[in-house]
Amino acid sequence: MIIFNFERNIKQFVRMYPITVIFVCICIVFSLIMMIVFNGYSEDSLLRMAALSGNSIESGELWRFVTYSFGHMSLFHLVLNMPFLILLSRPLENYYGPLLYPVILILLSVLAGMSVEFVQSSNYPLAGSSGIAYGLIGIYIYYVIFNKDKLNQDDRRFITIFSAIGFIMTFTIPDISIIGHLGGFTFGLLVGFITDFIIKKEKRITD
């Protein structure tokens, strides 16, 4: 499967997927700052590191709809999210290219964050890249359902199983932002629909 076909060395990986690498590195730097400079994960450190917060959004800090995706609620949260993000991100970065792909990541972050803010706004800060990850799942599922020729058969099967597991985790693991996951997924479907008219018909996500 293409999704599991990793490059043989780090230099090649960085050259082929610079947007994915930059995103992951920013997430790691955010967590390092929280642990080293602000003495760990806490409400105060999350706010300082630009997490999503109802009070902050109401105060006009709209940039938090982007920056919250770089921070995480705990080290475990970071370690859990990064492998999934890397796994899902590489084929789509290659498919969308270095100009469109970062726009899609930012768009998914904003839309998933807005879903949380407008449906279940909370003053306790929220951070994490799960909304983006579920948005990427939504993009894949769009193609699995509506344009399956974009993915090979093994990858379609993997994405379907992976998505099912992801939604089981969403509704069974405590303290997960269900709205963030569902919002990211829903808008991912929409992004897949829109970009399906932009990308050349013969171009495939996985061969």
Side-chain angles (χ1 to χ4, degrees):
M1 290 185 293
I2 296 297
I3 290 179
F4 277 116
N5 184 24
F6 282 85
E7 284 57 47
R8 294 183 178 180
N9 59 71
I10 295 178
K11 185 177 180 180
Q12 183 183 16
F13 186 93
V14 172
R15 186 177 69 253
M16 293 186 67
Y17 312 111
I19 306 303
T20 299
V21 171
I22 289 171
F23 186 92
V24 170
C25 286
I26 294 175
C27 290
I28 292 173
V29 168
F30 265 53
S31 285
L32 287 175
I33 293 174
M34 290 177 69
M35 290 187 292
I36 297 173
V37 178
F38 298 126
N39 299 315
Y41 296 88
S42 65
E43 182 176 355
D44 179 66
S45 62
L46 285 166
L47 285 173
R48 287 173 178 266
M49 293 306 296
L52 194 63
S53 166
N55 283 339
S56 299
I57 295 299
E58 291 172 5
S59 299
E61 298 178 1
L62 301 181
W63 40 268
R64 289 180 181 268
F65 281 123
V66 175
T67 55
Y68 83 95
S69 291
F70 297 126
H72 285 79
M73 305 299 289
S74 66
L75 182 59
F76 174 75
H77 192 204
L78 174 74
V79 173
L80 181 66
N81 276 347
M82 291 302 98
F84 290 140
L85 189 69
I86 293 171
L87 191 70
L88 296 168
S89 181
R90 297 171 304 109
L92 290 178
E93 178 174 350
N94 183 57
Y95 179 67
Y96 287 122
L99 297 180
L100 181 57
Y101 190 59
V103 174
I104 289 173
L105 292 180
I106 292 172
L107 185 62
L108 290 174
S109 175
V110 171
L111 293 174
M114 290 176 66
S115 299
V116 173
E117 177 60 22
F118 294 139
V119 175
Q120 58 174 49
S121 178
S122 171
N123 292 329
Y124 192 87
L126 174 70
S129 54
S130 301
I132 290 178
Y134 276 77
L136 299 182
I137 291 175
I139 293 173
Y140 280 115
I141 290 298
Y142 168 82
Y143 285 107
V144 167
I145 297 173
F146 298 107
N147 195 349
K148 64 181 181 180
D149 290 339
K150 291 284 188 176
L151 298 158
N152 68 45
Q153 185 176 3
D154 288 338
D155 287 321
R156 291 199 304 270
R157 185 181 300 112
F158 167 77
I159 286 296
T160 302
I161 295 172
F162 185 87
S163 301
I165 294 172
F167 279 104
I168 291 173
M169 292 173 61
T170 295
F171 290 101
T172 56
I173 297 179
D175 301 322
I176 281 183
S177 176
I178 295 176
I179 298 300
H181 287 190
L182 294 180
F185 177 78
T186 302
F187 286 112
L189 288 172
L190 181 61
V191 168
F193 171 75
I194 294 172
T195 57
D196 200 17
F197 293 96
I198 299 174
I199 307 298
K200 294 179 180 180
K201 293 295 183 181
E202 65 271 15
K203 189 173 183 181
R204 291 168 55 88
I205 299 174
T206 62
D207 296 316

